[in-house]
Amino acid sequence: MLTVTALLCFILASNGASVPSFLKICKRGDDACILSSAKSSLPILAKGIPELGVKSLDPMHIPLIVSNESGLKLKFKNSTMTGLSGCHVDDFKFDPFTQKQLLKITCDVTLSGNYEVQGQVLILPVEGKGKYKIDIRGITVKTPFNLSHVEKSGTSHWKINNNWSETFKFKVHNGTTFHFENLFNGNKVLAEPVLEMMNTNWKVIVEEISPPIIKTIIGYEVEAVNSLFGAVPAEEFFIQQK
């Protein structure tokens, strides 16, 4: 889930004057060093670095998430996601010549906020509005990124391209628990079978409704990093050559 925060562990490990002391500086192309730096720096970066324009991503505040998949319309409003500080960077590769990057990361996260739902879950109809919480245990997200250069006031800056939005992949390994208050206006006779079915068949539910949710979350992370790129010239992000 914390795809772009881990990316920052590499990007900020450069030779610019503003590089934080906790980031391990690596040679360009040294994948082992870059991966080690990402793993050790991720918890700190997830909490945010205001002096570098990096906002907190744990917690992450998301105004709106919309999913309309497999006959189920979902809206999550004023959501908060937590747990990104505990993510594990499984792999990170960077080609300094093509500016292509590949990140694989595994997390336990919790989403909570307000929901609206209408439609059908597997074979059961469902509707409701109220508070929700979703616990996702062991979600692995694999995302490729391409960087391009854009000119800003005569200076070259990096920007993450949008190709990731069609190529990211994810899988939940250890389970998902759904909590939805006030389903069917609080009718527990109708609500309990739906929640039981969702939690029993969590793998199918996640595969069907989660892609737009994961895409929205990654989009907020990409937006944060592109804001940083827009503030710092690209030449300040190169790894030192020794």
Side-chain angles (χ1 to χ4, degrees):
M1 299 287 277
L2 190 57
T3 57
V4 181
T5 299
L7 176 63
L8 281 173
C9 298
F10 163 71
I11 291 171
L12 294 178
S14 60
N15 55 9
S18 60
V19 175
S21 59
F22 64 83
L23 284 169
K24 181 180 180 181
I25 297 176
C26 303
K27 292 181 180 180
R28 182 181 300 188
D30 188 344
D31 289 339
C33 178
I34 292 168
L35 180 60
S36 175
S37 179
K39 288 181 176 180
S40 62
S41 305
L42 176 57
I44 300 172
L45 290 169
K47 291 300 183 183
I49 308 175
E51 60 270 25
L52 293 177
V54 182
K55 296 181 180 180
S56 171
L57 294 174
D58 189 8
M60 176 189 292
H61 301 290
I62 309 171
L64 180 65
I65 303 175
V66 177
S67 176
N68 187 1
E69 302 288 323
S70 301
L72 187 67
K73 295 181 179 180
L74 268 172
K75 283 186 180 180
F76 295 141
K77 300 179 179 180
N78 299 320
S79 296
T80 299
M81 185 166 66
T82 58
L84 299 181
S85 297
C87 291
H88 181 268
V89 182
D90 302 312
D91 195 13
F92 185 75
K93 290 183 173 63
F94 171 68
D95 187 327
F97 301 103
T98 64
Q99 302 295 306
K100 293 182 181 296
Q101 299 164 337
L102 179 66
L103 179 69
K104 183 180 178 183
I105 194 163
T106 299
C107 309
D108 294 336
V109 296
T110 297
L111 272 168
S112 61
N114 301 307
Y115 80 92
E116 294 180 13
V117 64
Q118 184 176 22
Q120 184 169 308
V121 176
L122 299 181
I123 62 173
L124 295 179
V126 61
E127 63 178 45
K129 174 191 284 189
K131 299 290 185 180
Y132 84 93
K133 184 172 77 167
I134 302 175
D135 296 306
I136 306 173
R137 300 177 296 279
I139 180 170
T140 297
V141 180
K142 187 175 181 180
T143 314
F145 295 101
N146 288 341
L147 298 181
S148 61
H149 287 271
V150 296
E151 292 294 320
K152 182 179 179 182
S153 302
T155 304
S156 180
H157 290 255
W158 276 358
K159 181 180 181 181
I160 298 175
N161 297 333
N162 290 328
N163 67 298
W164 64 266
S165 64
E166 303 300 330
T167 55
F168 75 91
K169 297 180 180 179
F170 73 94
K171 183 176 182 180
V172 178
H173 302 280
N174 301 327
T176 299
T177 304
F178 299 94
H179 309 268
F180 290 97
E181 296 182 8
N182 201 45
L183 284 174
F184 301 101
N185 293 318
N187 188 326
K188 292 185 178 181
V189 174
L190 296 176
E192 289 180 357
V194 172
L195 287 173
E196 182 178 357
M197 175 173 287
M198 292 181 69
N199 288 314
T200 300
N201 298 277
W202 62 266
K203 184 174 293 187
V204 175
I205 302 299
V206 166
E207 290 175 354
E208 289 187 349
I209 71 172
S210 290
I213 299 171
I214 305 301
K215 184 176 179 178
T216 298
I217 292 168
I218 298 175
Y220 276 98
E221 296 170 354
V222 169
E223 182 180 346
V225 176
N226 276 335
S227 295
L228 177 64
F229 285 163
V232 181
E235 63 182 12
E236 297 187 24
F237 290 107
F238 287 109
I239 301 298
Q240 287 184 343
Q241 296 287 350
K242 297 181 180 180

